[in-house]
Amino acid sequence: MGQTEEEIKQSEMYQIFVGKQVNKDIHRMKGNRMVEFAEALGDLNPKYVDVGVKENGKPDYSKIVAHPAYPNCFTVNAAFDLLGWKFPLKEGQTEATPFVLSFGKVLHTGQTYDYSNAEAPIVHGMKLYTTGALEKAYIRNKRLWLQMHLDTHTKDGKLVVQTTVYTVFREGGFTTEY
Amino acid sequence: MVKLSELEVGKTLGYVYGPVSREGIKKYASASGDNNGIHINDDFAVQMRLKGVIAHGLYSFGMVARALGEIGDLVKISGQMRGMVRPGDDWIITLTVKSIVGDLVEFETLEQSKTPIRIEKDGKIVKTFEAHDREWITEKDIAQDLIKTEEVAEGTLFYRLRTAIPGTATLRLKNGH
């Protein structure tokens, strides 16, 4: 189903956010969190959960890598970043109109993890940086549809994963008048 | 692990995981950092007109990645979250080989949710599940012929089989896989 004329007009006001960068997010990779994530999926493949023991008795995470779905953790903060976005103040306005009215109205509608250009695996001890921007925003079927692209790099700039996030805010969850 | 030589275009592989539980959803919420109340708080989810908590879309998506990981190394995965998955559901995952180029295998992926509704014996309901009690099954589900049956020990199980996440994926299969 296409957009109504009203939805096309409402979509226009969201175009000021297209290209807007989300806050750079820093992730310190910890082996125990990587294991916790794989276990939450019930994926007990040794390459994700087989933690060794160092001579000093501490866990040895050197032989495991993060589960390929782990980059979900890099997207959560980016999604929550939207909560703070606001429309520019208009003349006479004392309080900016928020982008999101209710985060309870958000639904995740799609996701892509792309490792095809990855230059390093995600391992314990890494400091990773996620940057990205809103790529698309439009209203259709009384819902606000968003597409966000994120790149996650190591400290020295090596790409580890590219992620595309698709979300929808249901009716009542986003601003329709500005 | 599946060997590259065992795959051919059109071949289908199937995986079943579950059932989804509230405990499992909470564990995923903790591991992913996504503690949105629609996933972990029934009262809040009802306030949001969702008739109870739903699993994170990315929890279900992660299950597709899990299935693919049983075959090879993930290069790319993409999916559209189309249907909500709830406690009590099973994830039914079907992977179909679309192309093989060198050591790269492209799949069409389909995750469905299997939602138990009720068990009947001799025309009488002998057991109901949350989907029945909380009215998760819609007229649309019935109209789309999503309600199926199968014989189980206690009688005839009525369940809904619905698309959760269709998508695509590319795997790299190493030599020897």
Side-chain angles (χ1 to χ4, degrees):
Chain A
M1 196 171 128
Q3 292 170 291
T4 63
E5 279 188 26
E6 188 185 16
E7 287 173 337
I8 291 170
K9 195 177 171 188
Q10 288 171 342
S11 298
E12 284 172 7
M13 72 188 203
Y14 278 93
Q15 299 317 301
I16 58 166
F17 294 105
V18 172
K20 182 175 167 64
Q21 300 279 317
V22 294
N23 283 335
K24 183 193 246 183
D25 204 13
I26 301 172
H27 316 275
R28 295 174 193 278
M29 293 305 300
K30 292 184 177 174
N32 61 330
R33 298 285 295 170
M34 289 158 48
V35 172
E36 185 188 354
F37 187 90
E39 287 180 343
L41 290 177
D43 197 335
L44 304 182
N45 188 320
K47 67 181 176 182
Y48 309 132
V49 300
D50 201 0
V51 179
V53 181
K54 290 181 179 174
E55 282 184 6
N56 61 8
K58 290 188 174 176
D60 178 4
Y61 298 111
S62 64
K63 290 185 175 58
I64 63 167
V65 296
H67 193 278
Y70 189 89
N72 169 202
C73 302
F74 307 150
T75 64
V76 173
N77 285 347
F80 279 106
D81 194 40
L82 292 174
L83 275 175
W85 288 13
K86 290 181 176 173
F87 287 90
L89 275 174
K90 287 198 293 192
E91 201 177 323
Q93 246 187 337
T94 54
E95 202 170 324
T97 306
F99 184 99
V100 172
L101 298 177
S102 169
F103 211 63
K105 295 279 188 180
V106 69
L107 293 174
H108 213 122
T109 55
Q111 188 94 344
T112 298
Y113 300 127
D114 188 352
Y115 290 92
S116 56
N117 297 312
E119 299 166 285
I122 301 171
V123 298
H124 168 72
M126 271 181 166
K127 193 173 179 183
L128 299 176
Y129 300 83
T130 297
T131 55
L134 187 68
E135 285 187 325
K136 287 182 185 173
Y138 57 91
I139 295 169
R140 195 182 68 199
N141 297 338
K142 298 180 180 177
R143 294 176 168 203
L144 173 64
W145 301 73
L146 304 175
Q147 179 179 321
M148 194 167 12
H149 179 86
L150 302 168
D151 288 338
T152 303
H153 294 89
T154 61
K155 196 175 177 181
D156 54 356
K158 286 183 179 168
L159 182 72
V160 295
V161 67
Q162 293 178 296
T163 308
T164 309
V165 186
Y166 306 86
T167 50
V168 160
F169 282 85
R170 292 179 292 140
E171 195 173 11
F174 58 96
T175 297
T176 53
E177 284 182 31
Y178 168 64
Chain B
M1 277 292 180
V2 177
K3 291 178 183 172
L4 183 55
S5 60
E6 292 173 340
L7 295 179
E8 59 184 14
V9 173
K11 185 177 175 73
T12 295
L13 302 164
Y15 299 86
V16 179
Y17 303 120
V20 181
S21 67
R22 284 177 170 74
E23 186 186 352
I25 294 172
K26 281 183 180 168
K27 199 172 171 185
Y28 183 82
S30 169
S32 67
D34 184 351
N35 291 294
N36 191 325
I38 62 172
H39 304 303
I40 57 175
N41 182 329
D42 266 304
D43 291 339
F44 180 75
V46 168
Q47 280 176 33
M48 292 295 126
R49 303 174 70 180
L50 288 171
K51 295 186 177 178
V53 294
I54 59 172
H56 304 70
L58 290 183
Y59 183 21
S60 297
F61 189 50
M63 290 298 169
V64 183
R66 175 182 169 185
L68 290 159
E70 295 194 29
I71 303 170
D73 294 329
L74 192 66
V75 175
K76 187 173 181 180
I77 181 172
S78 189
Q80 299 172 356
M81 288 70 158
R82 291 217 184 135
M84 293 177 192
V85 175
R86 296 180 183 275
D89 290 1
D90 278 326
W91 290 286
I92 313 285
I93 296 164
T94 308
L95 308 174
T96 306
V97 178
K98 301 305 289 181
S99 71
I100 302 173
V101 179
D103 60 353
L104 293 178
V105 183
E106 189 184 349
F107 289 88
E108 184 177 275
T109 65
L110 175 63
E111 183 180 85
Q112 295 169 292
S113 60
K114 180 180 178 182
T115 307
I117 305 165
R118 65 183 187 277
I119 296 176
E120 290 186 10
K121 191 167 188 179
D122 301 327
K124 290 181 180 173
I125 295 175
V126 295
K127 184 176 182 179
T128 61
F129 295 85
E130 203 171 351
H132 175 277
D133 301 340
R134 302 186 79 156
E135 300 178 343
W136 290 342
I137 307 302
T138 64
E139 292 297 324
K140 192 177 169 187
D141 293 331
I142 296 165
Q144 291 182 342
D145 200 22
L146 302 182
I147 311 304
K148 315 289 181 188
T149 60
E150 71 180 32
E151 295 306 312
V152 296
E154 297 159 273
T156 304
L157 169 68
F158 287 73
Y159 64 93
R160 180 185 62 195
L161 188 63
R162 186 170 70 170
T163 295
I165 306 178
T168 58
T170 305
L171 294 183
R172 176 169 283 114
L173 273 69
K174 293 173 189 164
N175 288 334
H177 277 191

